[in-house]
Amino acid sequence: MNSKNNSAVVRLDNIIKTYHLATLDVPVLKGVNMAVWPGEFVGIMGTSGSGKSTLLNILGLLDTPTDGKYQLDGQEVQSFSDSELAVIRNLKIGFIFQSFNLFPHLTVEQNIEVPMVYANMPKRERIQRARELGERVRLGHRLKHRPNELSGGECQRIAVARALGNRPSFLLADEPTGNLDEKTSNQVMEFFHELNRDAKMTIVMVTHNPALENTFHRVIHLRDGRVVDRNGDPIMGGHSSMENSFGGHN
Amino acid sequence: MLVTDLFRMSFHNLLLHKMRSLLTSLGVIFGVGSVIAMLGISEGAKRQALAQIEAMGIDKIIVYTQKPPVSGTSEGSANISMVETFGLTNVDLNHISRMDNVEAVTILRDARKKVNKGTTRLDVKLVSVTIDFLEESVSQMVQGRWFHPKDFESTLSVCVIGNAAKRRMFSLGERNVIGRNIYVEGAYFKIIGIAENFMGTQYSELGSPNDMIMIPKSTSDSLYGNYASITEGRQQRIQNVDHDVFMVKVRDTMHIDDTSKRISAYLTKIHRKVKDWGMLVPYDLLLQQEKTQNIFTIVMASIAGISLIVGGIGIMNIMLASVFERRKEIGTRRALGALKGDILGQFLIETVFLTTIGGFLGICVGLGISSLITFYTEMPTYCSLWSIMLSLLISSFVGIVFGTYPAWKAANQNVIEVLRSE
């Protein structure tokens, strides 16, 4: 277990998140345990209100848990300061958004460069890498275009190229196909699989689209702030069941 | 984030909305423009005034004869003698020249003659001078020669005329008037030179050297002595005046104050019956002028400050709107790893760029306004490098002051919230 512990890309231990409103406390995550192993393609699913978004924010280090332990590449990050978190987001997490969040006034190439800019990569190296990544998502011929000249599928591929800029530990995708039609959506999913297969990229994808359930290696179901099994039964804190929820796919 | 990237990015953002950027900085443009124009006007006026004061000589005390106010009521008028004696006397001259700090005294005397061209009276004065007057009044010969010491030993009827006087007495076609004679109330004077004073110097009632016909003191003394007969309508009066102006040159400017006080004290004592003299210390005027100037500058600075505050508030407003409009971009950048400081820097530099470019354009506007003013009103304006640098500095400062709050706001956006917003 220890060796597994140390090699997990992401490991959450009893993560609790409570929002303090004026008069009452709203518990959103009530003790989430999960792990993501290198090379995995994990889906996080759940209905709205299940705490999915909150979990995503915590995984993406945009939010800090009220309690619990979050290890990223073996490093405990739950108590990091705002700027430390920004640096880790920059270097270790590749964000992919539902609505792409590309910068409309920048060219495709410049869009890909953005995270590298914040990593203080020298300009020449940055451009070189942006071109490589552009080629890799098969949009090398579009580098000088602006996002509004691209189709939705192409935009999402650019967003993936951008996420890969600083060689992150894992990609964190938030409904990446939510804004795409079915055909494009399939293409993008295929693209993610390719990335996972060929580049051994670890991917965590949050979605509520049941059609995608079978395309993941493993699905973490979330209901009412807890990880549940396929049937919707809570997986309680016992050792064996934890093992179950952390369980690797091989 | 590298500083160069930060600058590039901010600049890029401004160029995205050229029109908006321009409109945003209009407040600063016109604020700085009016500052530059006003400073230009005040500096121009100041320099002109200072040049005039300095032309009189910073090391000089000008003492002059003033016609005393006539205390003439009906009972007095009967007793008024035909000869009016007043003004600076030879005794005064002797006393003043022997004072400690006094190096030399240059004396002028108005002959009180009418200079006519045909039947028109010209505003030109016939003045007797000493040989050092040319130098002491900082005038230059433009044609012919100045008096020779020999001219003061003789009683030759020669004269040097001021350039303006020449223009009044002769027509445009008469270029060379050297050697010609001019006639002033019964006497002819041969012109030997034309002098000009470029500094705008004025000697109280005698006016500028440019408007004078200057004759050697020896000539004047032999012709007129210290008397002048004045015809006013039917009344004829005799005025007995020894000297009209003493240009007292002091040895040490440091003690010019003491010297002027002593002269003043002396004259007050001697001329205690009537106040028939005046004194003017260019150095004091200079100090006075500087004091007035400082007040003026403070007033200007407050007006400028208000206009810049207004401009700054306008910019802050637009930047706050811009932060709101770009909150999704801010959220995305933060998610991709931008530090709060990166976002803060981006918006702050954007604002400072905006105001500095506004300041630069404002300087151009200000210079344009000043040159227009000079062109149409012939009022001198002067834009010093100092005022330009200061304007640029202040406009950047305005950017920092009014950009900090929007930038702070941008940096502290709630990332989760703004990412969810559309």
Side-chain angles (χ1 to χ4, degrees), chain A residues 82 89-90 118 120 126, chain B residues 1 5 332-334 336:
Chain A
D82 186 83
R89 279 201 298 273
N90 181 234
Y118 290 115
N120 294 339
R126 230 156 61 196
Chain B
M1 188 175 192
D5 288 320
T332 309
R333 285 186 185 278
R334 291 278 283 135
L336 295 179

Side-chain angles (χ1 to χ4, degrees), chain A residues 49-65:
Chain A
S50 61
K52 212 170 43 175
S53 302
T54 308
L55 182 60
L56 173 91
N57 289 336
I58 287 175
L59 278 174
L61 296 175
L62 295 172
D63 207 349
T64 47

Side-chain angles (χ1 to χ4, degrees), chain A residues 1 7 13 19 24 38 62 69 83 94-95 101 109 115 121 141 172 190 209 218 228-229 239:
Chain A
M1 170 113 183
S7 61
D13 273 321
Y19 286 111
L24 72 167
L62 295 172
K69 215 160 81 178
S83 13
F95 276 94
N101 289 24
E109 190 178 353
M121 198 184 281
H141 57 295
L172 185 59
E190 184 46 44
N209 183 358
R218 187 161 61 90
V228 294
D229 66 17
H239 205 268

Side-chain angles (χ1 to χ4, degrees), chain B residues 18-32:
Chain B
K18 290 190 192 70
M19 196 60 189
R20 186 209 281 182
S21 303
L22 186 73
L23 291 175
T24 307
S25 37
L26 269 186
V28 172
I29 291 178
F30 285 107
V32 170

Side-chain angles (χ1 to χ4, degrees), chain B residues 40-199:
Chain B
I41 293 166
S42 78
E43 185 72 17
K46 177 182 165 187
R47 282 179 182 240
Q48 198 181 31
L50 291 189
Q52 278 176 9
I53 292 167
E54 271 173 22
M56 282 191 274
I58 218 68
D59 56 349
K60 295 215 174 57
I61 299 167
I62 311 285
V63 187
Y64 55 91
T65 292
Q66 227 174 12
K67 193 170 181 301
V70 185
S71 53
T73 52
S74 53
E75 56 161 318
S77 64
N79 294 337
I80 285 179
S81 65
M82 283 294 284
V83 179
E84 302 171 308
T85 304
F86 61 91
L88 302 169
T89 62
N90 282 318
V91 180
D92 299 335
L93 175 63
N94 273 332
H95 192 96
I96 291 172
S97 346
R98 268 192 239 114
M99 281 183 176
D100 265 351
N101 196 22
V102 173
E103 188 176 315
V105 180
T106 305
I107 40 187
L108 300 178
R109 183 178 179 277
D110 185 359
R112 293 174 171 71
K113 297 288 170 197
K114 289 178 194 153
V115 180
N116 291 322
K117 180 186 186 183
T119 50
T120 2
R121 172 137 193 210
L122 297 177
D123 189 15
V124 170
K125 289 198 147 81
L126 185 68
V127 177
S128 77
V129 299
T130 47
I131 193 159
D132 49 356
F133 180 64
L134 184 74
E135 194 186 324
E136 297 302 334
S137 66
V138 206
S139 306
Q140 288 161 15
M141 297 306 295
V142 290
Q143 223 183 340
R145 65 170 179 88
W146 180 245
F147 301 112
H148 190 269
K150 285 228 165 71
D151 296 326
F152 290 89
E153 289 162 18
S154 68
T155 55
L156 279 174
S157 295
V158 288
C159 70
V160 170
I161 60 176
N163 213 1
K166 181 230 159 186
R167 277 197 292 271
R168 283 186 197 154
M169 288 184 289
F170 298 97
S171 62
L172 265 178
E174 296 165 297
R175 289 251 169 72
N176 189 6
V177 297
I178 306 288
R180 290 184 52 174
N181 286 311
I182 49 177
Y183 175 79
V184 180
E185 279 191 51
Y188 282 95
F189 299 96
K190 187 177 164 194
I191 301 172
I192 59 166
I194 295 167
E196 181 149 20
N197 179 296
F198 294 99
M199 316 285 277

Side-chain angles (χ1 to χ4, degrees), chain A residues 136-179:
Chain A
R136 190 153 150 204
V137 298
R138 295 191 295 275
L139 287 169
H141 57 295
R142 297 285 210 173
L143 287 177
K144 298 294 174 199
H145 289 247
R146 312 249 163 203
N148 59 9
E149 296 160 351
L150 306 181
S151 70
E154 286 175 319
C155 281
Q156 199 53 294
R157 266 144 67 194
I158 294 303
V160 173
R162 178 175 69 182
L164 292 172
N166 292 327
R167 299 182 177 83
S169 307
F170 71 103
L171 292 187
L172 185 59
D174 178 16
E175 301 270 14
T177 59
N179 277 11

Side-chain angles (χ1 to χ4, degrees), chain A residues 10-15 32-35 55 59 69-70 246:
Chain A
V10 169
R11 188 183 179 92
L12 300 188
D13 273 321
N14 201 27
I15 289 291
V32 172
N33 298 301
M34 61 172 272
L55 182 60
L59 278 174
K69 215 160 81 178
Y70 178 2
F246 289 148

